[in-house]
Amino acid sequence: MSLVAVLLVSCSALGDAPTRATESPVATAQPTALPTAKPQRIPQGLVASGTFHSTDGTTTGAVDVVVNGHVAELELRDLVSTHERLGVRAPLRDSEGDPCVDSHAFAFTDIVAGTPTDPLIMPLSLGRGDPTFISEIALTTMTQADGSSHCINLVVARAPLVWTFGPLRPYLDTLVDDGIRGGASGEVVFDATGRPVTYTVAPNDLLPEVAGRFGITVDDVFYLNPARGPSPQDPMLYVGEVLNLNFRER
């Protein structure tokens, strides 16, 4: 299985680049006790399945996601398409209403419809060992470079995934905001039950302090924000960046 997969991220929007939160020393409150619970291990074997639906009837088939050791293998079944060559994408953000998958997606190697293919490989390091944030697999085709479409990778079929297990860090469903502290003075949004669901980075914020404000680890922040750009594990925070704190919305 020598197939190649790459992670696509969107280019920076035109205009001023985000401002980095200052790294200068700041007064720090007493750290919150970090969780003693450990992430659950992902099950081995078949963990998700989906059926491809095509609005124009060009493509049918199904897909299984099978965990084998430290990788997830994508197995396409009964694939039939009028398109000879198809791209295979796992959008990292909700893209159900988007006709394109041009950014924020894990890109598998292209396939030739009707030709048997080895399983397509995705490392479990994507999503910190928990790929349940991926809601679908999309099959795409390259559009013409004549200006007739704003897409590069046009979706021809989607397969919503049904996972056999829930998020592997359930302890993140009980976060509590300990309040403003040095290095974590940003704005918090709460849901109707009072649980924090988002955090907006303020000047002088530091990632360990932001994590400590909610009693979690930096790795938990990465887990909750698998589609964070420019890199999910970027230790730098950017003023105005919105961090997700709701493990159901990762």
Side-chain angles (χ1 to χ4, degrees), residues 105-197:
F106 186 86
F108 299 90
T109 187
D110 289 356
I111 61 172
V112 177
T115 301
T117 179
D118 289 334
L120 308 178
I121 304 302
M122 180 178 70
L124 288 178
S125 56
L126 183 67
R128 311 307 291 163
D130 183 351
T132 56
F133 71 98
I134 296 175
S135 62
E136 67 174 6
I137 299 299
L139 299 178
T140 65
T141 186
M142 294 286 289
T143 58
Q144 298 296 323
D146 58 4
S148 59
S149 172
H150 68 283
C151 286
I152 298 176
N153 298 286
L154 180 67
V155 177
V156 298
R158 300 178 185 275
L161 292 177
V162 178
W163 294 93
T164 62
F165 64 98
L168 298 178
R169 304 193 188 192
Y171 59 85
L172 295 178
D173 195 31
T174 56
L175 300 189
V176 175
D177 179 16
D178 274 354
I180 292 175
R181 59 170 63 192
S185 59
E187 179 182 356
V188 181
V189 173
F190 301 87
D191 66 12
T193 67
R195 289 179 296 192
V197 292

